[in-house]
């Protein structure tokens, strides 16, 4: 069966996704509101497939990673280095958000804005609540911790239900450490977990082949059902956000790669599948399986370290939603309201953005929560969130792509520093996370990537 579609699998993965994007945009433009009804279910099916594999993939991968890394590298040292890079890149992202707020002046000359009719204020969870929520009261319930839901505009998204990915990581980590402690007594279980992890990787390969079709459905529904007239009053803000995120990805991330002796073009080529899925699905969680596959298969990050770092990044590494967007929103509302920000307020915005992005991990609507936290800390009116909510879906595409890129970048940097990066794989820079099976898939990836 696979042989019949060799021609399709030999097309680079990112090209197939771009084709789905373009055709989806054309279908949405051609069929208008009907595109949501006709093509939306294709995108919904793709989101459901991703939801199906994400939690078991993370669960088995983290257990296997902890059991394997304990004999190679200090897990604590790797975790500390990873968190440090999460924080450093978040600080840089806040600076980029503020910079483009000054350059583009998105809040200047804007007419009177109305709060989006479907906006409801978000409750910001306390720091203690978030910390306690890391521990699942029922690990089996946490493993069922994601569900699909629809936003007011009909967009289907993934949201935490009874638990979060962080809870899954916490429980899986404990199981992994227990296996290390018990040693040869559980050799059979350790082997079984490793085999289960490989099975989930293969299932992930199969699901990822549906990405071009899912992209088609998601984009067709978005273009057909979204009223682009909503963008006009806030077009400058959209432009500012897209420019800021593009600058952060290309210049900041590219500079960090060069500083580590790595070719940025190779990185972006290998990371392209994850970036594309993040953009069209607007969910780091939805992009997690392809991000993990890209980090290991395309970029050469040690699979055990990646199994820990990438899922962690998908929950707390939010340069787009947690740093650039809140900083830019703060500048926007200050310009719109004619409020002159003081140096102290700028520092508060930066600190709240960096710390808040860790504190709101796993909360649905992270960007809105983060903007609420930052504006409250800086003493700015919260109405800005209601103004921007009407165009949030368009903003979220670029924010999430930035998040996902950073979630792959940091493991690459840390792997490079600790000897866990296969430079040969990185330099080969396959852009195909495709999924035929075994060696045939890798050969095709090499030819097509």
């Amino acid at each position: 069966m696979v042989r019949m579609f060799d021609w399709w699998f030999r097309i680079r993965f990112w090209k197939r996704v771009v084709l789905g994007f373009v055709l989806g945009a054309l279908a949405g433009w051609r069929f208008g509101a009907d595109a949501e009804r006709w093509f939306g279910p294709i995108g919904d099916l793709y989101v459901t497939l991703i939801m199906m594999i994400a939690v078991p993939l993370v669960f088995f991968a983290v257990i296997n990673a902890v059991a394997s890394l304990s004999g190679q590298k200090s897990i604590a040292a790797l975790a500390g280095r990873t968190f440090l890079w999460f924080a450093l890149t978040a600080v840089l992202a806040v600076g980029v958000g503020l910079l483009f707020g000054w350059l583009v002046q998105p809040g200047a000359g804007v007419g009177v804005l109305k709060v989006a009719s479907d906006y409801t204020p978000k409750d910001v969870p306390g720091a203690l609540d978030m910390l306690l929520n890391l521990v699942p009261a029922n690990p089996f319930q946490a493993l069922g911790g994601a569900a699909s839901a629809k936003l007011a505009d009909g967009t289907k998204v993934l949201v935490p239900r009874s638990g979060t990915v962080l809870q899954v990581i916490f429980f899986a980590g404990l199981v992994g450490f227990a296996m290390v402690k018990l040693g040869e007594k559980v050799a059979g279980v350790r082997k079984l977990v490793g085999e289960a992890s490989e099975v989930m990787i293969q299932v992930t390969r199969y699901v990822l082949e549906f990405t071009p079709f899912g992209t088609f459905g998601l984009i067709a529904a978005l273009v057909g059902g979204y009223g682009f007239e909503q963008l006009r009053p806030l077009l400058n803000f959209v432009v500012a956000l897209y420019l800021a995120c593009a600058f952060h990805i290309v210049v900041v991330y590219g500079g960090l790669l060069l500083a580590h002796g790595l070719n940025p073009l190779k990185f972006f080529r290998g990371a392209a599948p994850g970036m594309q899925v993040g953009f069209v699905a607007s969910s780091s969680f939805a992009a997690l399986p392809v991000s993990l596959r890209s980090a290991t298969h395309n970029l050469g990050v040690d699979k055990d370290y990646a199994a820990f770092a990438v899922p962690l990044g998908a929950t707390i590494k939010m340069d787009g939603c947690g740093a650039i967007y809140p900083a830019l929103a703060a500048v926007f509302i200050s310009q719109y309201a004619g409020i002159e920000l003081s140096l102290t307020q700028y520092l508060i915005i930066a600190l709240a953005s960096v710390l808040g992005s860790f504190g709101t991990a796993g909360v649905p609507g992270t960007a809105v929560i983060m903007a609420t936290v930052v504006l409250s800390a800086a003493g700015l009116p919260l109405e800005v969130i209601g103004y921007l909510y009407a165009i949030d879906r368009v903003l979220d595409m670029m924010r999430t792509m930035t998040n996902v890129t950073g979630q792959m970048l940091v493991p690459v940097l840390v792997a490079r520093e600790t000897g866990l990066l296969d430079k040969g794989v990185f330099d080969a820079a396959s852009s195909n996370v495709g999924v035929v099976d075994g060696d045939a898939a890798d050969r095709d990836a090499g030819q097509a990537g």
Side-chain angles (χ1 to χ4, degrees), residues 71-414:
Q72 303 176 37
K73 300 280 183 180
S74 168
I75 296 177
L78 282 173
R81 194 181 288 261
T82 302
F83 273 104
L84 178 61
W85 274 113
F86 283 171
L88 288 175
T89 49
V91 170
L92 294 173
V94 172
V96 169
L98 294 175
L99 173 64
F100 277 84
W102 296 329
L103 293 176
V104 180
Q105 297 285 304
V110 178
V112 177
L113 298 174
K114 295 182 180 180
V115 175
S117 59
D118 57 347
Y119 170 69
T120 54
K122 298 283 187 180
D123 292 327
V124 180
L128 182 59
D129 292 334
M130 289 305 306
L131 185 61
L132 293 177
N133 194 48
L134 291 176
V135 183
N138 184 336
F140 294 101
Q141 195 175 32
L143 288 170
S148 59
K150 286 196 174 183
L151 302 180
D153 63 359
T155 304
K156 191 170 184 181
V157 295
L158 293 177
V159 296
R161 183 170 62 203
S162 54
T164 67
V165 175
L166 281 178
Q167 290 182 336
V168 174
I169 293 174
F170 180 87
F171 179 64
L174 283 181
V175 173
F177 281 119
M179 289 170 58
V180 172
K181 180 67 175 177
L182 292 172
E184 289 305 310
K185 293 181 180 179
V186 293
V189 177
R190 183 180 302 176
K191 180 182 178 183
L192 179 63
V193 168
E195 291 171 346
S197 180
E198 289 297 322
V199 168
M200 285 311 306
I201 290 172
Q202 185 61 43
V203 172
T204 298
R205 291 172 181 165
Y206 292 142
V207 171
L208 293 184
E209 282 303 322
F210 194 69
T211 299
F213 307 101
T215 297
F216 170 83
L218 290 169
I219 295 301
L222 175 66
V223 173
Y226 200 91
F228 279 104
E229 64 275 2
Q230 297 180 77
L231 294 176
R232 290 172 187 166
L234 293 164
L235 186 59
N236 281 347
F237 187 88
V238 176
V239 170
L241 180 79
Y242 271 63
L243 288 176
C245 288
F247 180 88
H248 189 63
I249 290 171
V250 175
V251 177
V252 176
Y253 289 165
L256 290 174
L257 288 162
L258 286 172
H260 283 74
L262 298 172
N263 186 331
L265 295 179
K266 302 287 188 182
F267 170 80
F268 292 126
R269 187 181 186 190
M275 295 169 68
Q276 290 172 318
V277 174
F279 186 82
V280 299
S282 296
S283 168
S284 293
F285 187 58
L288 174 55
V290 68
S291 298
L292 183 56
R293 175 73 173 154
S294 295
T296 56
H297 181 265
N298 296 356
L299 298 172
V301 178
D302 177 86
K303 67 176 183 178
D304 294 320
Y305 168 60
F308 157 77
V310 177
L312 183 65
T315 54
I316 66 174
K317 176 60 180 162
M318 304 289 173
D319 283 357
C321 292
I324 294 176
Y325 175 72
L328 190 60
V331 174
F332 169 81
I333 194 58
S334 70
Q335 294 169 352
Y336 178 75
I339 300 171
E340 189 72 29
L341 292 176
S342 65
L343 177 61
T344 300
Q345 284 177 304
Y346 281 122
L347 292 176
I348 289 173
I349 290 169
L351 185 62
S353 296
V354 174
L355 296 180
S357 63
F358 291 101
T360 56
V363 178
T366 300
V368 177
I369 292 284
M370 274 304 309
T372 302
V373 170
V374 171
L375 293 176
S376 298
L380 294 170
L382 297 180
E383 288 83 0
V384 63
I385 308 304
Y387 301 154
L388 299 174
Y389 194 73
I391 60 168
D392 195 66
R393 180 66 174 88
V394 173
L395 299 175
D396 205 26
M397 296 169 76
M398 192 63 176
R399 289 188 315 227
T400 306
M401 188 175 79
T402 307
N403 295 343
V404 171
T405 308
Q407 292 156 16
M408 291 181 283
L409 173 88
V410 168
V412 168
L413 298 183
V414 174

Side-chain angles (χ1 to χ4, degrees), residues 16-102:
R16 285 180 264 156
V17 175
V18 168
L19 179 62
F21 187 98
V22 172
L23 293 178
L26 290 174
W29 171 76
R30 173 64 181 83
F31 295 103
D34 288 335
E36 273 192 289
R37 185 173 72 256
W38 294 345
F39 306 121
I42 301 175
D44 292 346
L45 174 60
Y46 175 64
V47 171
T48 303
L49 285 169
I50 292 291
M51 181 177 65
M52 174 187 73
I53 64 173
V55 171
L57 175 67
V58 170
F59 179 67
F60 289 116
V62 170
I63 295 177
N64 194 49
V66 171
S68 301
L69 282 174
S70 62
Q72 303 176 37
K73 300 280 183 180
S74 168
I75 296 177
L78 282 173
R81 194 181 288 261
T82 302
F83 273 104
L84 178 61
W85 274 113
F86 283 171
L88 288 175
T89 49
V91 170
L92 294 173
V94 172
V96 169
L98 294 175
L99 173 64
F100 277 84
W102 296 329

